[in-house]
Amino acid sequence: MTVTNNFSTPLQLPLSKEELGRINDYLRPLTPEEILQWAVDHIPSLYQTTAFGLTGLVAIDMLSKITSSPPPLIFLDTLYHFPETYELVEEVKKRYGVPALVYKPSGCETVADFERKYGEKFWETNEDAYDFAVKVEPARRAYVELGVKAVITGRRASQGADRANLQPLEVDATGLLKLNPLFAWNFHLVEWYIKENNVPRNKLLDQGYRSVGDWHSTVKSGEGDGGERAGRWAGKADKTECGLHVDYFKMKAAAEKQATHDKQPDVPADVVVPQIVQTNA
């Protein structure tokens, strides 16, 4: 069956399950550049959420060659990134001239602010609530304030775990579209592109790290250890996601429940849940 690109411009949202399937049938055989070009042409209110990992950097570089007005970047500053990560953010902004919108935990500008609110080493006392506070709630706040309808992600099927059956375009529980332009690429292709195009990368990757997150949950990985995300959440074999790609409503409910139990303001009372029509996609 031949699938043609006769999609509305812009797409009419929310997407039905059938329309989402038709779009994925069309996108699946395309190159990442072609997927990104289609997205720029068809998807309204498109942004890119990025922690400046390798795949996200590849997408940033590709977009810079596709359009003079690439989707703005959303960077979730957990306040616990490595100094090298913050250096990379500035380098990318300077190199590509793309807007980078920074969102931090609610009511917190510094680590001191965060620890006054949640206590020291909050990731050790309640890891899920920590993920919600530093990633999930700031992301949801960004999407509401900016009117985001879709985000470009750096997820790939070759990363395994929950990503093994990744599709080019997905719809999450809130109705947010998630575009995964490099869904079919493996790590070697990503590395090849980075080197061939002289794309900026985190300096820690040359110091024994394979994947870089918060400094307190990222360690160097020995030769042959795990996969490309080895060293993230060391000693926690069941943990493969930080919460951004987990059901938002479940994360929020769990964080609220824990906040009530602990009598701590883990979840700000003014968190807004957008009224987005859900589909069966």
Side-chain angles (χ1 to χ4, degrees):
M1 178 181 68
T2 301
V3 182
T4 57
N5 184 15
N6 58 343
F7 305 104
S8 60
T9 306
L11 291 177
Q12 299 302 304
L13 305 179
L15 296 176
S16 67
K17 184 177 181 179
E18 292 71 25
E19 183 70 350
L20 180 63
R22 192 168 73 90
I23 291 172
N24 276 322
D25 286 342
Y26 175 76
L27 295 180
R28 209 170 286 116
L30 302 185
T31 65
E33 290 94 337
E34 291 170 335
I35 292 174
L36 287 167
Q37 180 67 70
W38 180 89
V40 168
D41 292 341
H42 289 85
I43 299 181
S45 301
L46 179 65
Y47 288 71
Q48 181 177 355
T49 54
T50 182
F52 295 89
L54 290 181
T55 311
L57 291 167
V58 169
I60 291 170
D61 188 82
M62 288 179 172
L63 284 162
S64 74
K65 298 168 182 175
I66 289 171
T67 174
S68 59
S69 300
L73 305 176
I74 297 174
F75 173 54
L76 303 177
D77 183 0
T78 66
L79 305 174
Y80 290 95
H81 288 294
F82 286 93
E84 290 84 353
T85 300
Y86 292 114
E87 290 175 12
L88 177 61
V89 174
E90 295 307 312
E91 185 177 358
V92 168
K93 287 164 59 178
K94 182 178 179 181
R95 166 85 172 264
Y96 297 104
V98 61
L101 307 168
V102 179
Y103 277 77
K104 299 180 180 182
S106 181
C108 303
E109 283 297 317
T110 66
V111 169
D113 292 338
F114 187 83
E115 293 184 351
R116 273 194 296 270
K117 188 171 185 177
Y118 296 101
E120 295 183 2
K121 298 185 178 180
F122 186 45
W123 58 89
E124 291 183 357
T125 60
N126 194 324
E127 188 173 28
D128 288 342
Y130 172 80
D131 286 344
F132 189 87
V134 302
K135 288 283 188 75
V136 181
E137 186 280 327
R140 182 52 46 191
R141 180 162 25 98
Y143 302 157
V144 172
E145 290 181 2
L146 301 171
V148 178
K149 295 292 197 311
V151 293
I152 298 165
T153 86
R155 295 181 298 162
R156 292 180 287 104
S158 68
Q159 291 170 323
D162 293 341
R163 305 183 180 192
N165 298 312
L166 203 61
Q167 297 298 308
L169 186 67
E170 298 180 323
V171 182
D172 76 5
T174 71
L176 181 75
L177 298 183
K178 292 185 176 180
L179 184 79
N180 312 304
L182 282 87
F183 79 103
W185 272 28
N186 59 32
F187 184 63
H188 298 297
L189 281 172
V190 172
E191 278 197 314
W192 165 82
Y193 185 96
I194 293 284
K195 292 176 181 177
E196 284 293 308
N197 293 274
N198 193 31
V199 178
R201 63 201 293 270
N202 199 309
K203 294 176 182 177
L204 293 173
L205 297 176
D206 297 321
Q207 300 175 26
Y209 293 88
R210 292 194 184 179
S211 180
V212 180
D214 287 344
W215 61 258
H216 55 70
S217 59
T218 305
V219 298
K220 294 182 179 181
S221 179
E223 190 69 28
D225 287 352
E228 61 186 85
R229 283 161 71 82
R232 296 288 296 279
W233 309 296
K236 300 174 183 176
D238 294 335
K239 186 174 177 64
T240 60
E241 296 286 354
C242 66
L244 280 180
H245 303 296
V246 179
D247 187 295
Y248 168 74
F249 297 107
K250 290 181 180 178
M251 289 283 292
K252 182 174 185 291
E256 288 177 332
K257 182 178 180 181
Q258 188 63 46
T260 300
H261 179 268
D262 294 344
K263 295 183 180 180
Q264 293 182 159
D266 297 341
V267 181
D270 59 351
V271 171
V272 178
V273 178
Q275 299 301 310
I276 302 175
V277 177
Q278 297 188 45
T279 72
N280 294 323

